[in-house]
Amino acid sequence: MTKAVTIFLFCCTIISCTHRQAPISIKGITIDPTIKREADKHIADSREFDAFKGRMQVYFNSGYIESHQNDSLLFSSDMKGANIPFKSFYLWHHDTLTIDGAFGIWGGTGFAIDIYQNEAVLTHMLSSDDFATLAYTDYGALLSRLEVPCTATKIVLSEIPDSTKNQVIYGYVEFKSNNFYEAKETEEAGTNGPRQKLRNNMKLYFRSARLNL
């Protein structure tokens, strides 16, 4: 009887190990479910964002931004207290998972993460409200959205969302952006003045969910 029980338990152990899901390993990302606890300290919900419910996550957030203009420090701020509107969402496009997050309701400044084939790329995402005022180079085409390459990147996610489900995830990003350029808008639509060279360093927590349009 003891021998039979031993064999049974041994077989159960083998089956359990065979079906146990392997840990997710993605280059450039740390998976840590406990990041939610820290993220919640920086996030505050408000009824004024109820119109966005079911479409994307919009809430008050805080974080650290250090901005340089023409190679000189323009400002740095810890933005303590969750008091700045922030939007975030993720979406799947074939085998690529994209996660966006930015301060601002319409235009904004923040980050974009693209995850493809077990590798993550973090960029500094910027978008303008009305005019195309952003460029990758001093003389490049003016665009409404940039995804600027970054260095010293760090990404922590609570989990990788299932592409078949609508999950809420939490995370943290840290980066130093390369230079980008911004042209000052004028009253005449489509006309822009001299460009300023900018770069930003950011550290922030976020909450995100699937984008539903």
Side-chain angles (χ1 to χ4, degrees), residues 12-70:
C12 288
T13 301
I14 292 175
I15 293 170
S16 175
C17 291
T18 301
H19 288 84
R20 188 176 297 144
Q21 187 175 7
I24 295 174
S25 179
I26 298 174
K27 184 179 179 181
I29 289 183
T30 298
I31 302 297
D32 181 5
T34 67
I35 198 69
K36 177 183 184 301
R37 290 201 297 266
E38 190 61 34
D40 280 337
K41 297 176 184 178
H42 297 261
I43 292 170
D45 291 304
S46 173
R47 293 185 62 183
E48 67 182 274
F49 303 132
D50 283 352
F52 296 96
K53 279 187 176 178
R55 296 167 56 194
M56 70 176 75
Q57 292 284 315
V58 182
Y59 45 87
F60 288 118
N61 200 2
S62 61
Y64 172 80
I65 296 181
E66 183 180 274
S67 185
H68 293 79
Q69 178 179 294
N70 298 323

Side-chain angles (χ1 to χ4, degrees), residues 57-61 84-88 101-104 111 204 206:
Q57 292 284 315
V58 182
Y59 45 87
F60 288 118
N61 200 2
I84 302 175
F86 188 88
K87 61 181 179 289
S88 184
F103 290 102
F111 68 89
L204 60 92
F206 65 92

Side-chain angles (χ1 to χ4, degrees), residues 29 88-91 97-101 111-115 121-123 125 145 155 157 159-161 169-170 173 206-209:
I29 289 183
S88 184
F89 61 84
Y90 67 79
L91 56 87
L97 170 63
T98 296
I99 306 171
D100 273 15
F111 68 89
I113 303 170
D114 284 331
I115 304 171
V121 176
L122 172 62
T123 55
M125 189 276 292
R145 176 184 169 104
I155 309 170
L157 296 180
E159 62 183 314
I160 299 297
I169 63 172
Y170 295 79
V173 293
F206 65 92
R207 183 182 70 203
S208 191

Side-chain angles (χ1 to χ4, degrees), residues 92-106:
W92 286 91
H93 182 67
H94 301 304
D95 294 331
T96 300
L97 170 63
T98 296
I99 306 171
D100 273 15
F103 290 102
I105 298 298
W106 308 117

